[in-house]
Structures are given as C-alpha cells and as structure tokens.
Amino acid sequence: MSARDLISGEADVDSQDEDESFDEETGEVRRRSNGVKDMNGHLEDSSEEDDDDDDEEAAAAVRKDFIVEDDEEPEERERRRRERKKRRREEREEEEAGLDEEDLDLIGEANPNFERQAPSQPKLKRLKRGHKEDRDGHRSRGIEDIFASDEEEETAFRNQRQSHRVDPRNLQDEFDDFIEDDFDDRDGAPDDDDADVARPAVRTYTGIKDAAGLDEAALEDMKEAFGEGDEYDWALSIQNQEDERDGVLDPDDPEAIAKGLELKDVFEPSQLAEKLLTDEDHEIRAADVPERYQLARAPYKDLVLTSDQFKEEGIWISDFLWLRKKIKPTLKEPFRKAVAKVLEFMVANEYEVPFIFQHRKDYLIHQEKVPVTPDPNDPGAQDFVINAEKLLDQEDLWRIFDLDLKFRALIDKRNALSETYRKLQEITDFNDKVFETMLPAAVTMEELQDVQDYLHFQHASKLADLAALNASSAPNGTHRRPGSGRALFDRIRNSNVYRLVQSFGITADAFAQNALKEGRRRYTEDPASHPEDLADQEDIMDPPEYSTGIQCLKAAKAMFAEEIALSPKMRKVMRAAFYQDGVIDCFRTEKGLRRIDEHHPYYSFKYLRNQQLTEFSDQPDLFLRMIRAEEEGLIEIKVRMQNEESFKKRLYTEIESDNYSEVAEAWNRERREVLNMALLKLDRMMARGVKENLKNECEDQVAKRCREEFGRRLDQAPYKPKGMILGTVPRVLAISNGAGSFGRDAICWAWVEEDGRVLENGKFTDFFLGDPDRGQEDSEDVKSFVKLVERRKPDVIGVSGFSADTRKLYKLLDDIIERKDLRGPTYEDDDSNDRSDKLDLVIVNDEVARLYQTSERARLEHPGFAPLTNYCVGLAKYLQSPIKEYAALGNDVTSITLDPAQTYVPREKISKNFETAMVDYVNLIGVEINVALSDSYTANLLPYVCGLGTRKAQQLMKVIRLNGGDLVNRAELIGDADQQRLGAVGGRVWANCASFLFIDYDSSEPESDFLDNSRIHPEDYDLARKMAADALELDEEDIDAEVNESGLSAVIRRLIREDQQYKVDDLILEEYAEQLESKNNLRKRATLETIRAEVQNPYEELRNNFTLLSSEEIFTMFTGETRESLYEGMVVPISIKKVGEDYLEARMDCGIEGTIPAIDISDRPDVQPRSLFQQFQTVQAKIRHINRKTLTATFVMRENEVRNPVKHNYDREPGDWDDEQERADKDSMKEKNDVSGRTQRVVKHPLFKPFNSAQAQEFLGSQARGDVVIRPSSKGIDHLAVTWKVSDNIYQHIDVLELDKSNQFSSGSTLTIGGKFKYSDLDELIVNHVKAMAKKVDEMMLHEKYQNGTKAETERWLSTYTEANPKRSVYAFCIDPKHPGYFFLNFKAGQHAQLQSWPVKIVPQAFELQRNMYPDMRALCNGFKLLFTNMQNGKRPGR
C-alpha cells in the first residue's frame, strides 16, 4: 500500500466543480473567484487603471480615424519605457509568486475540487515553414473532433504532472549528503550534536508549518493564497553566496559566529572544488577575462612577456606550424604575420578562438591583386583579379592557443634559470660562456632541461652556497644537501686530478661544437707523456682518495665522459641523430611469450623490428598499443640508432688528434673509451626522451582524430522532416526493444514533442504483423501502434537497441509502415500544394541514449520511467538536437568511444579536445539567451559560448534573473548603473560573447534590435546600418530623420518592415572594404559578407543535415564488432539454436545468427546432425560469410576448416619481422604443450569459452558488472573455472570441482565450490552463486557509505572529515582490488583515533564480517557497530 492509498481526498482530474476551467481551444485557465479581478485574473489596481484608460483613449482615437502621434520628449519616452519594464517585472514576480508544482500537488490531494492548469506550449521561433496542421490549428474543429483529444490531453496532463513532481526530501541544502553518521546504534536518528553540523543555518524563510494558532485546514488555505513563502529563496541564496564569498557570517547562526565557520571549514577542498565554490572559482567569476584563458594560463598568471619575447613567440609558433602546413613557400612571410596577429588578438585583446575566427577572419586570409588583361568588349571590366589564400583555419587557432601556453612555460623556465644565474654572479664573480650562449638558443623544454642540467653539474658547489645563503635567510634555516654524484664530480673538479681531464687536449664543449659542425673546427692537442705516465705524476695524484695513477686516470675519464654527456651541444647532436636515424624494436618478455598468441591483439608487433619513427605518424594507435603492452609487462620497446657504428666513427674523428705517434695513439684510445662511456649514457637518455615524445605525439594525433569525429557528430542539424526548413525540430516517436529478444521481450516507446516534452510513453508486449492470406489478424499492439501514429502524426520514427535483434524490429516497423500506408505530416511543396510522404523510419545513433537511460538526469526528469523508456527519450532528443544531448552529458561525454585507440589516450586530452570541438559548434549555432533562462538543455550550451565557461555561465544566468529576467537587447548584458541593472559580464567578456548570444527580434518592442538576432557583432552594427541605408538608397537627411524619430536601429527596422533585405545583394562590398582599410585601417571584407548574409537570414542554420548511420556503423552499434574484430575465415564459438534434418541454426555471442548446411556440418555426410549436436550446445565454427547489413552469417563446422582459420596478413617489409625468433618460440611452446598433454575441453553451455584467465578477463572487460565466463581449468578435467566481473578491472576466478562424472568429457552432476556450496548444474551455480554475489556487490556499491576510490583515498577522506568534526566517528566501505570479492570497512572513532580496517567478504546471499553473516547492508552496518562497541568494552570481535 502506498501513501497515496491513505489519502481520501485525491484530486479528480475530470471534476466539474472546480475553481478553474480550461478554454477548449487555447487551453488557458479561466478562474472563478469572489474577489474583484480583471479579465486577466489580476487584482485591480489604480495604477493599472490609468494605463487602461490611456489605451482606451488611444483606441477610440484610432476608431475616429485619428492618428495617435508620439509627441513626447526623450525624457518622457524614457520614463514610460522604465514604467513598462517595471510593470513587466511586477507581472513576472506575480507569476513567480504563484503556486509551484509541489503546491499544486498538495492542494490537489487536499482539495478534490481543485484543477491544475495544463502547461502552456512554449513558443517555437525561427522556423520559416512549420507543420501544416500547426499552421491550421486555429481553425474550428468539426463535430467529429469534439471528443477526439480528451483522452490524449488527459494522458498528457497526467504524464506532465508525474514528470514535474518534486520530492520534498530533495529540497535540502546541496551539501547535506556530505555529512556522515557516527556509530550511534539508533538507525536513521543522528545525535542532537550532529544537527548543527548537518544543517548549517541559511537565511531563508523555511515555511509556515509551525505558524502559531493555525490548524491544518487554515494552513492549507494560507498556502493556497500566499504560497509556501519561498518564492524569493533564489535571490536570498545568491546573496548568501556573496556573503560567503566575502566572509560574511550568518547572523542567525550564533555558533557559526562563535566558531567563525566558513564553507572551507566544514567541507573538504575537493568537495568545494566539485561545486565550484573555492576562492579561485569566485576570482574567475569576477575577473573580466575569458574563463578558459584564466584556467589555461593559471600557472603563468604572473608571467609578463616582453616585446622581444612576444616577437620571438610569433616566430617560434609560425616555424612550428609551417612544417605541417601545405602552403606555397612564397606565403611564408604573410603566414608569419597572420600568426603574429592572432597572438596579438589572443594575448593583448584576450579574444577567444571563435571570436577571432568569426570577426577577424580577414586577418586569416591573404589577398593579393593579380593583374589581368581586361576584356575589350566590357568597358567596366577590371584589370585585376583578387586571389585569396586561406592561411589559418579554426583548428590552427586552437593550435596557436596551445603553443602559446607551451611558450609561456618555456619562458617561465628560461626566466627562472636566468634568475638563478644572476644570483650566482652576485655571490661569485664568474661568467659561463656556454650557459650564456645556450640559454637564449634553447627553443624546447628538452633543450632548456639540458642547460639546467649543465648548470647544476658545472656549478654544483656555487649552487650549494646559494642554497645555503637562501636557507639562512629563510625562517627554518635549512637547506637540501647536494646529491652524492654531483658531489663526487665536484671533488674531482677541485682536485689535482682535473689536470688530467684537461690533458685530453679538448674540452667537452669544443668537441660538441665540432660534432655539431658549428663555427671553426677545434683541434685536439696531445700531451708529451703517455696517459698512464701522466697519471702517475705526483702533481696529478691527490691522496688519499686518488693515490694511484690507475685511480686518477679512471676518475679523469669518468669526469670527462660526464662533461660530454652533460654538454647541451652534445645532447643536441645526439637528439638530432636519434630523431633522424632512430628505429624501434619490440622484444617479447617471458610473460609475453605465454600470453600473446596468434589471436591476441598484441601479436601484430610481438616480433616487430627496425621501425622508423616516421612510420608511426600514420599509425599512432600501433605505438600506443605497444606502450600499453610494455606497461603490462608483455614486451619491451627499445629505441636505438640505425648505423650506430658509423655514427661513432664520425664522432671519433671529431675528438681524436691528427698526430701520428705512439703517445697520440694511446691518448686517442682513451678518448674513444671516454666517448663510448658518454654515448652509453646519452643513448639511454635519448631513447627515454624519444619514446616519451613519440608517445605524446601519438596521443595528440589520436586525440585529434577523436576531435574530428566528435566534430562530425556535432555538425548535425536536427533531423529534417520532409518539406521543412533545415533547423526545424521534428516530432519524434522513438521505439526500442533494448537488449531483449525480439518477439519475446517488451518493446518500449516514447512520444516527444518539438519542445522536448514527453507527452506519452508505453510498451508493446505482443507486436507482430498478421497474414491476410492465412486469415491471421494483426496483433492488438500493432493496431495500437497504427492508431498512435495516426493520432500523433510524428515527423519521424527513431529505432535503436542493444542487440542484433533490433534489426528485426526495424524490418517489422518498415513492413507496418508500408502495409498500413502510414504517412508523415502534410506540408506544402514548392508549388504550394499539400502533400505527404511515406513516414520516415531511421536507426538512431544511441551512444548518448545509453548513457542517459540510467543517469541521474533521467531519474530527475522522468522519475517514473523505466530505463528502456528513458533510452527511447534519449533517442528522440538526439534526433531533435544532437549538440544539446552531447552538451547535457557534461564530463561523461568522454565515455563515448569515437576511435579504437581512444582508450590509450589520457582522459584529460580527450576531454580537452572534445571541449574545443564543442566550443566551435556552439558558437557556430549561437545560443538564444532568453530561451536558456527557462530551458536547461539550452542552458547547457552556455559554458561553451566564447568568453564564458561553467562559472561565468552560472553567474550570467543568476545576474540576468536578478535583473528581472528576459533581455531586450545585448547591451543589457553589461549592466547600467543609472537603471540599477547589474552587469552580467565585464567589457572584455561581453566583447567575446555578444555576437554568440542572440535575442529574438520583437518589432513591437522599441528597444529590440534586429541585429541582436544575428551573428553580427555590436562593433559592426554601424556598418550594418550603413549597408541597410545604402540598400534603401537613403541620403544623410533621410537617415538622420529616421534615427531621430526611432533610434539608431530605425533604418534596419525599416528594411525589415518593408521586407527589402534582398537589396543588400546589390551592394558592391569590395569598395566598402577598400574604404575601411584605407581610412580606418580595418580589414572587414569577410565581415561585410557576414553582414549581408545575416541581414537576409539571421542565424541561418549552417550545420550539415542530420547524418544517417552507415551499414558499417549500424553493424558495430548492434553487435559491438568491427571489421578488425570479426572477419570472414575467423574461428568463433557459436551456440546452436535449432537442429534440423539437414541443417543447423546458430547464434554468435554478438547476436549474429546464421545457418550451417549439412555439407558444412561434418566430414561424415552419412551422419545426421541430430546424432552429433543438440540445442544450446556451444561449438567452434569458422565464419564463411558475413552480411553486415542484415546481421547474418554462414558458418562451416568441418574439422579440416576449423583447424585452419584465416590468419591476418600483415603488409611488412623485409627485415621488419623477426621470423627466426617467432619460429623458435613456436617450437618451444609446442614442446611444452606436448609435455603437458592437456586435452582441450568443450562444455555444452552458452557461457562456456575456450579461454584462459587472461582471455576471460579481456573478454569481460567491456561487459557489465556480474557477467560470467565458464572456461577450462588448469587443475584437470574434473575442474571448471568460472570467471566473473566484480567491478572494472577486478575479476574473481572461482574453482568448481565436478563430482559424479559419467565420463571424463561430461560435466559432473554435482558441482562444489570451496567444499561449502553445492549445485546440481551450471545454471543453478550461476544464478544462486555468482549472480547472488553480484547482487551483493551492487548493494554494497550503491550504499551511501560506499566510497568510490582506493583505500588510501577513503582513509584520507575519513581523516579530513574527523578533522572538520573532531567529536564525530565515521566509517566507510571501499573495494579491495587485490582480493576480488572483498571490500574494506574503514573507520575512525574520532579525530585522534587510529585508522582501522576490517575485511568484508561477499558470499551468496550475505556479507561476512569477522566470521559473522549479515543478509543486507543495514544488518551489516548495525552488526559492525555492535562489534565495535563490544571491542571497545573489551570483548573479542566476532564473538
């Protein structure tokens, strides 16, 4: 029994004795009241009477053929304008003061005579040609239509009421969930001491429930008349946030005043950061700088580039981009100027990419006049043509933005090194020419790191003195000791042994300069003595550490090798050689030898050799897979230099002397040995750097591919109904069978209107088409479907699902549409004739709907809907606006896989690229700001508007609402102190976002500007007005008269009013552009073209048509397979569905079905299939053919075919594959298999797979939690292994012992697990053991005490919580990834108590804690508290 069953006064929707009634045609509410009200339902007021009188006088004057002229002065006009806005604001406040949805529900339950008003249809804008029936909706209905819509209106009303009902329990402070209960044994009843922490006081009126002297009936009447008293909570909430930001304490909370509590004192920094309530967030909101710029440049916010550095940056970025641009060499200088100009826009003007691309497009294009011979027959022909070359596109602008950040990091580090060098010079008088030369020449972070390493090596002692000096002036007076390696070389440098280093005859820098081929060659000088003799001299030895010549020579060689290895110039030589001649080899490890077989995805590079670095630019996913395999310990990637010996020989000539003598030869041997020592160090360093850089480059390329694919997803207009203008939002009927089996499981559907409202939904359980030839009628559900289509008249039917069975549903729907002749809505064709076409049926991309169906957003929007119904809603809304659906996903959008290699790229890179793509396309279509105030899906686009971000979008919405709601023009965004209007954005942010936030033009509103409804930026309004005046052929006097009479936008208004926008096509824009550039130094040629287009068609839909899925995409969506994962000739397990006389019907795990004729079943044609196989048996088969359109296949099961699957043919060059190692490994594995003699086992069960543990985990990786694989066991033929997915990357392997086996190949009739659990068959084991444990895992992970993090993170959370609440005790659960099937119960009994952890084991139907069984989480929590109490009292836990 529900709570509703206990209420006797349920509101009757169809009651006739109501205080309100509905107009039959308009749906407006007619109120009945004893009070004195006007026709609009408002209380009469004297101020409104004056306005009404004025209106009546004006109307009377018109009826007498008089014209009411506006002779008012500007001051009077301004006063009346303010009065009109004030009156509109008062009307809105009255509406807001009205009863909300929850009030209406409460009143309806208490007062059966109350009837709720149906929500009005929002006004649809910007559509030039809509639905035929919508345009004819004003016609009166005939007799046959009087009762036609009663039922559907009632259904829509009931659905709306259900979907908008709000649970009062959810109307609490958004931080309530952060407070945890302590160890109190009273369930659900926290201590009184906790209440103050759990509910911080807020300065809002909380209700009238406790009003003195009023009974329940009086309270209900009071609520009905005055509301709940929370109409202005939103304004008070904003004020509270301002107070919290400024440190203002709540005067109603004495405890907060006493403690001085702020949000950061109560909540963790991570929680405040999640809610964007940190001090940094408030600073971002307040700063008049685009939010994305603030976030990206935060590490360098104190860095100011000098003019020389700014010029250097332009050259640095242009040189970097030029290598990737395919532009004529003659345009290199214009290209550099374009990059420099873009940098100026970004850095000096702080314009974002969309603004530059839209409003500074002329600076991205190079134009030049090319002389031509004019046509002699055309006296007006020009003697030149203009050639335009696009230098930078939008993607290049984002690249410049990223490179600007990298250059700032470069300059920041360079400045830090320069400052360190300056301080060294202050304490010691010295100069280092190498440092002074290489620091300004370093153009990459690697080269800067080389310079830093050189500085710390050459001047380690000076840096130590500097550190000590800085430490002595610091409060603690401590400093870090230098590393032992640096100290060793510093001792050599300061000892006599360094003379031996100098005796090598050439310095490390001179040698590196020779190798770099820079400047004049430095020659090597030989000493007069042999190296050994020189090392034995007393002036070289430095006892006691270097007391022999051998020790001295060894130390000298180590020192010289280190100097060479740390020389910035030598590292530059090595880095260039590695990138030019480097190759990559793959070597399998012992683990990889066993794990990577021929069917493993890593086998394609198991024996890969001699791969040039450039080869990975075309296949970045290959190298990323190699990196992943190396992280898993399966292979080792080695980077080496090709022709290394010849490279060494070349370097030998640069360090050796040219003398011919025994002494010279001896020293050259030592020099070569030193060089080999240095090269060994440099090889390791360069290989590590090359591998890391190549990895980053490959990640960037994959992320770029994902961005391009995501851009194609966003570049889709709503599905275009036939006969409608591109951009028209369709009415959609979405239908799906989900993952259900077609013909057996229910089919859900949802009807979604143009405005996104879900007016109807339901399901079909018996859905099949009849056969007239056999006298078989259609099912009742098919009849209901046809009636639904005829009644609702959808523009399109969208269908999708999770399995291949959805293709059958699509085929059935197509047959129904064809047989029943279901038509789309009527529309007018180009000849103004009414027509209708066959109803559209499309398969919809469901990647967004899959995420939406179980999301919190779906639960809040449609609380009573089943997940599959929400899935249908997601399909429908995707057809209506793909970009809004992707924006609504927020951070979850990165869960969508757009490239097979996406999983190898860090989530942050994917998210960044997705964001930039979203920014591009949101600013392409613009956002109607007034619609965003009331539509959350439109509001989701605001953070991507140029200049805004999540924080600034929130602030924008709040300020607009504080100012009274809807905007009339764009200028209102920056506020007006005289009119007491707050600024929603600052000047710079406004300049960025103004043209991308449009406002619908209202010709009846004097302040409404047509240009505010266009892509034209306010800075170009004067140009647009000038073009409009020229198009109307108005002279200066005419323009002045229009402006004086009707304001600045008068000329544009006249152009629109007279419908003469087409005249702007006659203007010669080239002359305009030349005048602007010559007189005002403004390049506006492209801008003028934009103005011409926008005046004629403001914010025209520029996206492509809605993209229908290809057969390949549908195949992947329904089956999860690609051409690489499933191909003809592959051997796969299949489950037999039906055994016929001479054929088999089978089904693959991915849902593809197929047949096997008798000739392909067995090598013995005389044996019947029934004697060999049975239904539901799992066998191996080879794919002969795949029909990717119908999702069917044909198989062959003959043994000779199954034993010879088709192998991948890799296109490799000679030397790219180590065939010898591959043969040796195969022979080795074959010998091991022969020794083991294990027989491959097959079990007749659909979940059985011939996998090992690693393959089972890989197979379950993409499956849902709780999914199972049954596989052979390594313990023998009387064992089976069951692997099930506990959570992401956590799998439990269960050993099943089979008893009572009839033979060694059959399954046991008794299955035991751990000697405790016994089952009669595998199905019972899966349901009662594995699924039962999976259910307990779900129960644990959905519990409020569960923390979705590691044990360390959970313990950190417990410590932070107890620090904020010293008297509280707290506990939480988290998963144990090292022991699948176990969880940690972590707890801390106070601030100073020790962190403790107990293991919780998942068993079928229970949780096990300290050897005690608990049936559910409630019992587990209570049992834990009891055990803890007993432990505190000295009792042993578990007793």
Side-chain angles (χ1 to χ4, degrees), residues 1111-1138:
S1111 297
E1112 195 68 33
E1113 291 170 330
I1114 293 172
F1115 178 84
T1116 299
M1117 184 175 70
F1118 286 162
T1119 66
E1121 303 286 354
T1122 63
R1123 288 191 178 274
E1124 290 73 27
S1125 64
L1126 193 69
Y1127 48 89
E1128 294 169 355
M1130 185 177 182
V1131 174
V1132 295
I1134 60 174
S1135 176
I1136 297 175
K1137 287 180 56 182
K1138 182 180 179 180

Side-chain angles (χ1 to χ4, degrees), residues 129 132 827-835:
R129 184 185 299 166
K132 175 69 175 177
Y827 64 93
E828 289 183 1
D829 60 17
D830 295 336
D831 298 327
S832 299
N833 297 321
D834 290 347
R835 62 170 298 175

Side-chain angles (χ1 to χ4, degrees), residues 111-176:
N111 182 9
N113 295 326
F114 176 78
E115 178 179 348
R116 292 180 55 181
Q117 178 179 352
S120 60
Q121 297 280 348
K123 179 181 177 182
L124 296 178
K125 304 172 182 178
R126 312 186 59 74
L127 303 182
K128 293 188 175 181
R129 184 185 299 166
H131 299 93
K132 175 69 175 177
E133 58 270 34
D134 290 346
R135 300 198 303 272
D136 298 338
H138 64 278
R139 292 182 296 186
S140 62
R141 295 179 293 180
I143 295 176
E144 67 277 11
D145 295 329
I146 291 178
F147 302 102
S149 62
D150 291 349
E151 181 179 353
E152 68 182 52
E153 287 179 1
E154 179 181 343
T155 303
F157 167 78
R158 194 174 294 114
N159 290 339
Q160 283 297 107
R161 174 172 180 169
Q162 183 180 11
S163 63
H164 286 84
R165 182 168 296 169
V166 180
D167 188 346
R169 293 171 294 180
N170 295 333
L171 301 178
Q172 299 175 354
D173 192 275
E174 60 181 333
F175 299 111
D176 288 351

Side-chain angles (χ1 to χ4, degrees), residues 489 492 497 500-501 504 531-532 550-564 666-667 669-675 677-678 681:
F489 291 116
I492 296 176
V497 177
L500 193 58
V501 177
F504 277 90
E532 295 81 1
I550 295 176
Q551 290 177 335
C552 293
L553 186 59
K554 183 179 179 181
K557 290 194 290 186
M559 182 70 186
F560 192 27
E562 192 73 11
E563 287 183 340
I564 293 175
W667 277 104
R669 281 197 302 271
E670 300 296 339
R671 293 179 186 118
R672 287 194 292 269
E673 186 176 345
V674 166
L675 182 57
M677 293 168 59
K681 295 182 179 182

